[in-house]
Amino acid sequence: DTAVSQTPKYLVTQMGNDKSIKCEQNLGHDTMYWYKQDSKKFLKIMFSYNNKELIINETVPNRFSPKSPDKAHLNLHINSLELGDSAVYFCASSPTKDRGGNQPQHFGDGTRLSIL
Amino acid sequence: AQSVTQLDSHVSVSEGTPVLLRCNYSSSYSPSLFWYVQHPNKGLQLLLKYTSAATLVKGINGFEAEFKKSETSFHLTKPSAHMSDAAEYFCVVSDRSYGGSQGNLIFGKGTKLSVKP
């Protein structure tokens, strides 16, 4: 009965490869997010997405692209992986693209990406 | 622009003693504030949220936080620490600035709580 699930939990790969991380939520939420947590535990939004609107953090390289086959899924595809991409990536969801900012987000357990 | 500052990167307490994790926020708008906890190798779990209702907010696991507008603070407290409270704690503000980033969460840098037996 996991609310937000990510796969894989660990991903070790070589520089230059292309990889995807999958995220699924069974909460019926309309909006999903991707966050990056660096080695110092700092979390930063990468994308927010609902079926009408994709918002990209301007600091995110265009090697990163979210893909949503339906509103319960938001996968993260990364091209040409670099050493600096090593981090923990978290998926999250919330009921709406809440302009009031009142809705908490529900997080997955993270995907630990290591680039060799 | 909204931001949060967690004043301590690491707090260490003894089991059974009070916990205080400090957070100051900056916001041009009436903020929505949250505290999240992250246990090792886990995702983030919501502890509590403030959304302009009561200024003293009670959360899960005995935690509470008080919104003080005059001090722009939202400190997290617990009367008696338990070993299971050892984790990373994040103070978070919801972005209410105009534009597409509304509703996105802005995280503080985290406070690591250690609990000694």
Side-chain angles (χ1 to χ4, degrees), chain A residues 51-84:
Chain A
N51 58 6
K52 297 177 183 177
E53 190 176 27
L54 169 66
I55 304 298
I56 302 172
N57 185 316
E58 60 189 14
T59 66
V60 175
N62 57 15
R63 298 181 295 104
F64 290 79
S65 56
K67 298 187 190 301
S68 180
D70 54 62
K71 80 171 191 178
H73 297 83
L74 184 66
N75 304 325
L76 181 64
H77 189 75
I78 316 169
N79 289 328
S80 302
L81 281 158
E82 299 177 358
L83 289 175

Side-chain angles (χ1 to χ4, degrees), chain A residues 33 94-105, chain B residues 2 29-34 36 46 48-52 92-97 101-106:
Chain A
Y33 309 81
S94 67
T96 62
K97 187 67 173 82
D98 175 33
R99 300 289 181 185
N102 294 335
Q103 298 284 356
Q105 295 177 14
Chain B
Q2 281 79 194
Y29 307 86
S30 179
S32 288
L33 294 159
F34 308 84
Y36 282 83
L46 178 70
L48 51 81
K49 67 176 183 176
Y50 167 77
T51 54
S52 74
V92 182
V93 65
S94 183
D95 190 350
R96 289 188 167 186
S97 57
S101 62
Q102 278 184 337
N104 288 340
L105 299 183
I106 300 168

Side-chain angles (χ1 to χ4, degrees), chain B residues 5 14 22 24 35-36 45 50 54 58 62 67 72-73 81 91 98 102:
Chain B
T5 302
S14 297
R22 299 182 294 166
N24 286 101
W35 275 98
Y36 282 83
Q45 181 184 18
Y50 167 77
K58 293 188 183 298
F67 174 74
T72 61
S73 69
C91 183
Y98 179 78
Q102 278 184 337

